[in-house]
Amino acid sequence: MSSVDSQQRVLSGMRPTGKLHLGHYHGVLKNWVKLQHEYECFFFVADWHALTTHYEDPTVIENSVWDMVVDWLAAGVNPGSATLFLQSKVPEHAELHLLLSMITPLGWLERVPTYKDQQEKLKEKDLATYGFLGYPLLQSADILLYKAGQVPVGADQVAHVEITREVARRFNHIFGREPGFEENAEAAIKKMGKKAAKLYSSLRKRYTEAGDGEALATAQALLKEQQNITLSDKERLMGYLEGSGKVILPEPQALLTPESKMPGLDGQKMSKSYGNTISLREEPSEIEKKIRTMRTDTNRIRRDDPGNPDVCPVWQMHEVYSTDEVKDWVQKGCRSAGIGCVECKGPVIDAVKAELIPIQERAEHYDNNPDLVRSIIQDGSEKAREAARTTMEDVRHVMGLSYR
Ligand code: TRP
Ligand code: SF4
């Protein structure tokens, strides 16, 4: 895997801390299902990350791991298209985390906003631990281990991708300076052949001297298609382009996950901590009960009071599920008191049930075949490990750890 190709690689993880719900489905999971067709995807269960906050009740994690994988599969994440694995089955994550910790200034970790925020939010837990401080760095190791160029995350995780970029930059700066880097780079240019060499040099000049971003992109594309130079030379020339040393760990980008429009039962964001969720495994009768008792426009007290969909979470659900025709019926009926809230909720109940039927059927299939699920994760973890090993060889080498 060369950093040249890392733009095509996606990596993302999820902590196993409970059941997945419709908010996950309409946010993260549908996005993963889409991405798996467009990129080379690695999706993993971040069980070590879960331990940083749930170290006192590890059984929650253990139980959630397999349920979560089943939910992914049931939602349409396809092990034929994406590599699915378990973080703790790839010990290279821990090794890279350790090695990155050598060069990561404490202040960088202390300043990550989630560090203080989460400690505040989860006051009942003692999070003044070494592991919790290192949470973002473990995440950096997750990403850099696969040289992933694109990292789908929610807005709350962008800071973690940002610190990953800084760590990668620092790593490349410190360890990418092989002796004779410039000479090696110039020699590599010659190996490309006259025409490509000339083009590369002029593009590099345009970028380094005039900051021409288009020239940079063209030069990167040019490198990508070179067939007669080694991968190592390609990396060297990638680094030479940007004026750094050899790029060992490419800087990733956050690929912001579109916000889920799915409201919770109380109109807030659907989230386990608000207790306002419909889980992917919810029984039809429970779905019905939960939506029937869901909050509506609180000003609409009697049946003949007109209502306002703008302040009603049921309307937000219609926005997710309903056709224009139904939405029109809601708007008119609500504002004129022509329909009642029970009536209005009917199509939403049907839509949620209909959406969850095939998901639950698939989940049942996997629940009944635990060995299948285990083997999907086993295979995925082995595949992930192969990619991880290659990176670790480079990392150990430049850090002076490839003893013979
Ligand atoms: N911290 C992420 C979350 O809480 C999960 C995660 C762990 C992750 N490692 C990652 C996400 C690597 C993207 C890439 O949602
Ligand atoms: Fe909400 Fe529908 Fe009731 Fe209007 S009729 S308040 S949109 S549930």
Side-chain angles (χ1 to χ4, degrees), residues 11-15 44 46 49 135 139 142-143 151-153 157 160:
L11 173 120
S12 200
M14 216 188 263
R15 283 170 305 143
F44 74 100
H49 275 102
Y135 184 111
Q139 188 163 349
D142 299 338
I143 298 167
V151 183
V153 284
Q157 296 286 311
H160 295 174

Side-chain angles (χ1 to χ4, degrees), residues 160 220 234 296:
H160 295 174
Q220 285 168 336
K234 269 194 199 181
T296 61

Side-chain angles (χ1 to χ4, degrees), residues 161-178:
V161 180
E162 202 45 53
I163 193 177
T164 304
R165 294 168 61 84
E166 276 160 22
V167 169
R169 210 172 303 146
R170 184 163 162 84
F171 186 95
N172 294 331
H173 179 76
I174 298 175
F175 300 113
R177 306 215 163 259
E178 45 181 0

Side-chain angles (χ1 to χ4, degrees), residues 76-311:
V77 179
N78 177 354
S81 310
T83 303
L84 309 183
F85 69 98
L86 186 53
Q87 186 181 34
S88 63
K89 284 202 184 255
V90 186
E92 283 80 1
H93 288 249
E95 187 186 2
L96 186 56
H97 178 206
L98 175 81
L99 294 179
L100 294 177
S101 79
M102 306 299 170
I103 63 158
T104 305
L106 262 183
W108 288 13
L109 292 170
E110 286 162 345
R111 276 195 296 274
V112 173
T114 46
Y115 180 55
K116 291 233 160 61
D117 289 357
Q118 291 290 99
Q119 281 185 338
E120 275 296 303
K121 221 174 126 192
L122 305 175
K123 270 219 183 75
E124 72 285 3
K125 294 187 170 148
D126 180 5
L127 294 183
T129 59
Y130 181 52
F132 188 68
L133 178 67
Y135 184 111
L137 192 63
L138 179 57
Q139 188 163 349
S140 301
D142 299 338
I143 298 167
L144 298 175
L145 190 53
Y146 300 94
K147 302 189 179 183
Q150 317 282 344
V151 183
V153 284
D156 62 320
Q157 296 286 311
V158 171
H160 295 174
V161 180
E162 202 45 53
I163 193 177
T164 304
R165 294 168 61 84
E166 276 160 22
V167 169
R169 210 172 303 146
R170 184 163 162 84
F171 186 95
N172 294 331
H173 179 76
I174 298 175
F175 300 113
R177 306 215 163 259
E178 45 181 0
F181 176 70
E182 300 220 343
E183 290 77 6
N184 290 345
E186 288 295 335
I189 295 179
K190 294 212 179 74
K191 290 181 210 155
M192 286 195 288
K194 253 208 185 108
K195 211 171 121 209
K198 211 171 138 198
L199 184 55
Y200 173 90
S201 297
S202 83
L203 288 167
R204 174 171 177 269
K205 204 165 158 202
R206 265 168 56 198
Y207 177 66
T208 51
E209 289 176 14
D212 182 343
E214 217 168 287
L216 175 65
T218 315
Q220 285 168 336
L222 174 76
L223 280 180
K224 203 167 161 169
E225 65 194 33
Q226 292 310 303
Q227 313 242 316
N228 44 3
I229 57 172
T230 61
L231 254 188
S232 185
D233 272 342
K234 269 194 199 181
E235 308 271 291
R236 213 165 260 127
L237 292 180
M238 286 300 280
Y240 197 42
L241 262 183
E242 295 176 65
S244 66
K246 192 171 162 182
V247 176
I248 301 145
L249 301 175
E251 289 178 37
Q253 273 180 329
L255 201 62
L256 207 61
T257 306
E259 272 284 342
S260 158
K261 295 210 178 69
M262 193 70 206
L265 295 167
D266 56 359
Q268 298 187 79
K269 184 184 148 130
M270 189 179 279
S271 160
K272 194 181 59 174
S273 50
Y274 299 145
N276 61 0
T277 63
I278 296 177
S279 100
L280 295 184
R281 311 289 187 96
E282 210 80 71
E283 298 275 346
S285 61
E286 262 309 292
I287 297 172
E288 183 141 3
K289 198 161 118 202
K290 283 192 169 178
I291 298 177
R292 283 227 181 286
T293 54
M294 187 176 163
R295 178 174 90 65
T296 61
D297 172 358
T298 42
N299 291 321
R300 193 176 184 200
I301 299 160
R302 280 179 304 258
R303 166 68 178 79
D304 49 3
D305 293 336
N308 177 7
D310 295 345
V311 297

